[in-house]
C-alpha cells in the first residue's frame, strides 16, 4: 500500500514538474521570439538607412558635372579630316585626345552596310552602296586570319569575289592552298618592307610586292581588310608612299594602340593622316571590346579600334 501511494506521489510530482518546465520553456521561447523580432526590426531600419545613404551618395555623384573635361576634349581633340592639320605642332595631350577622338568618329555616310563573317570578333562591315560595292570580277585582300575565315568565306560567296587570305602565323597551314574556288590562302604577312623574320621565320612582304607576286599590279583591289596586331603602323606608310593604296576602294582595318607617349602617337597619327590624304573617309567605326581597355585622359578608351574606310 505504501509503495502504491509513493508511486502515485512521484507520478503527480513528475507531472507538476513537467508542467512547470513547459511553462518556463514557453515563457523563455516567447522572450526569444520577441528579442528576435526586435533585432529583425533593427536590422531592417539600419538597412533602410544604409540604402538611403547609398542612394543619396549615388545621386550626389550623378549631379556633379565637370564641363571643363568636355570643353578640353572639344577644344584639343580633332575629329575632322587630318589632311590640313600640322600634327608636329600639337602637344602630347592634344595628340592623345586627337588619336582617341578621331578614329572613334565616322565622317562620311554609307547607306547600306552588310556584315561579312561573325557578328562578334572576326566579322567586318562592307559598304554596299552602288558606287563602292564590289562587282564581279572583284578582288579582296584579307590580312590576318588566325584560323577564322568567316569574313573571307562570306565575301566570296555573296559578292563572287576572289578573296586572297594572308597570315604567316598559321603554322598548321600549308604555304599556299585554295580553300575554295574563290578563297586562296598564302602564309605571308604584311609589313613595310619585304624580308623573312628570323625570330619566327615568317615571310613578310610589302603591299606592292604582294600585288606584284599575285599579278595584280595594275588591278583595282575592291577591299583590303587588315587585322595584323600593330603591323598596320609599318604597312600603311609604304602602301601610301608606293601609290598602291590609291587602287583600293574600301579599307577595313583595326588600329592597335599600346602607348601614350609623343614618340609613339605622332608617327601613328601621321600614318592615319596619310591614309586620309589619298581620299579615304571613315564610314563606320567600332571599339573592339575584346581588347584591354586603357584609362586615358579624360575617360576610358579601348586599345583597339575597328575603322572602316571608303574612297569615292
Amino acid at each position: 500500500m505504501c509503495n502504491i501511494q509513493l508511486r502515485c506521489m512521484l507520478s503527480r510530482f513528475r507531472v507538476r514538474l513537467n508542467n512547470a518546465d513547459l511553462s518556463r520553456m514557453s515563457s523563455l521561447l516567447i522572450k526569444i521570439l520577441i528579442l528576435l523580432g526586435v533585432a529583425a526590426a533593427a536590422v531592417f531600419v539600419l538597412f533602410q538607412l544604409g540604402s538611403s545613404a547609398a542612394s543619396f551618395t549615388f545621386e550626389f555623384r550623378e549631379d556633379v558635372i565637370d564641363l571643363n573635361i568636355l570643353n578640353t576634349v572639344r577644344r584639343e581633340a580633332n575629329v575632322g579630316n587630318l589632311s590640313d592639320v600640322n600634327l608636329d605642332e600639337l602637344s602630347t595631350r592634344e595628340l592623345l585626345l586627337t588619336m582617341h577622338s578621331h578614329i572613334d568618329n565616322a565622317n562620311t555616310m554609307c547607306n547600306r552596310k552588310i556584315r561579312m563573317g561573325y557578328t562578334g570578333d572576326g566579322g567586318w562591315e562592307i559598304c554596299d552602296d552602288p558606287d563602292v560595292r564590289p562587282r564581279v570580277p572583284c578582288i579582296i585582300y584579307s590580312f590576318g586570319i588566325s584560323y577564322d575565315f568567316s569574313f573571307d568565306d562570306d565575301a566570296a560567296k555573296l559578292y563572287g569575289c576572289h578573296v586572297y587570305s594572308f597570315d604567316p602565323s598559321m603554322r598548321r597551314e600549308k604555304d599556299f592552298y585554295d580553300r575554295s574556288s574563290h578563297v586562296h590562302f598564302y602564309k605571308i604577312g604584311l609589313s613595310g618592307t619585304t624580308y623573312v623574320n628570323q625570330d619566327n621565320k615568317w615571310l613578310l612582304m610589302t603591299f606592292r610586292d604582294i600585288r606584284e607576286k599575285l599579278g595584280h599590279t595594275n588591278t583595282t583591289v575592291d577591299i583590303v581588310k587588315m587585322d595584323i596586331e600593330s603591323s598596320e603602323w609599318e604597312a600603311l606608310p609604304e602602301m601610301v608612299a608606293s601609290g598602291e593604296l590609291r587602287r583600293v576602294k574600301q579599307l577595313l582595318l583595326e588600329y592597335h594602340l599600346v602607348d601614350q607617349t609623343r614618340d609613339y602617337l605622332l608617327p601613328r597619327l601621321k600614318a592615319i593622316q596619310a591614309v586620309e590624304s589619298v581620299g579615304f573617309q571613315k564610314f563606320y567605326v567600332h571599339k573592339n571590346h575584346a581588347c584591354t581597355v586603357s584609362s586615358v585622359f579624360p575617360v576610358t578608351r579601348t586599345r583597339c579600334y575597328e575603322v572602316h574606310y571608303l574612297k569615292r
Side-chain angles (χ1 to χ4, degrees), residues 262-291:
R262 180 179 185 82
D263 289 341
Y264 180 87
L265 293 169
L266 183 57
R268 283 155 182 79
L269 272 172
K270 286 185 175 181
I272 296 172
Q273 185 182 57
V275 169
E276 295 180 355
S277 70
V278 297
F280 280 100
Q281 293 181 297
K282 297 163 290 181
F283 70 88
Y284 177 70
V285 294
H286 174 257
K287 299 180 187 68
N288 186 342
H289 300 292
C291 287

Side-chain angles (χ1 to χ4, degrees), residues 140-206:
I140 296 175
Y141 284 2
S142 178
F143 294 100
I145 308 301
S146 190
Y147 299 98
D148 178 3
F149 287 91
S150 60
F151 170 83
D152 310 55
D153 291 342
D154 282 357
K157 179 180 179 180
L158 297 179
Y159 282 103
C161 299
H162 280 275
V163 180
Y164 297 85
S165 311
F166 304 90
D167 196 322
S169 69
M170 295 168 59
R171 299 184 182 278
R172 298 197 302 267
E173 305 298 311
K174 295 183 292 186
D175 289 346
F176 160 78
Y177 70 93
D178 290 327
R179 176 176 170 84
S180 68
S181 61
H182 282 68
V183 180
H184 320 285
F185 175 79
Y186 291 84
K187 196 182 290 186
I188 299 172
L190 182 65
S191 185
T193 56
T194 296
Y195 69 105
V196 175
N197 186 308
Q198 295 303 316
D199 293 333
N200 44 40
K201 306 304 179 184
W202 293 353
L203 173 59
L204 305 176
M205 300 180 68
T206 65

Side-chain angles (χ1 to χ4, degrees), residues 221-262:
V221 178
D222 292 83
I223 298 171
V224 172
K225 183 225 80 179
M226 297 167 53
D227 185 0
I228 53 178
E229 309 304 326
S230 289
S231 291
E232 67 273 8
W233 301 119
E234 299 175 16
L236 286 172
E238 186 279 331
M239 295 170 71
V240 175
S242 65
E244 298 293 338
L245 195 57
R246 294 182 180 275
R247 295 182 176 272
V248 175
K249 291 183 178 179
Q250 296 189 43
L251 175 63
L252 324 175
L253 78 158
E254 184 167 71
Y255 287 124
H256 300 82
L257 305 173
V258 298
D259 200 351
Q260 301 175 21
T261 63
R262 180 179 185 82

Side-chain angles (χ1 to χ4, degrees), residues 37-53:
V38 172
V43 170
F44 177 77
V45 170
L46 290 174
F47 176 78
Q48 290 295 100
L49 290 173
S51 298
S52 298

Side-chain angles (χ1 to χ4, degrees), residues 66-80 90 93-102 104-105 296-301:
D66 190 348
L67 292 179
N68 290 327
I69 294 178
L70 282 178
N71 287 336
T72 299
V73 174
R74 292 165 182 158
R75 183 177 62 253
E76 300 184 10
N78 192 308
V79 296
L90 300 185
R93 186 172 71 173
E94 288 171 330
L95 291 173
L96 178 63
L97 292 176
T98 294
M99 174 65 83
H100 283 277
S101 298
H102 184 79
D104 195 25
N105 288 276
V296 298
F297 179 83
V299 289
T300 300
R301 284 289 181 265

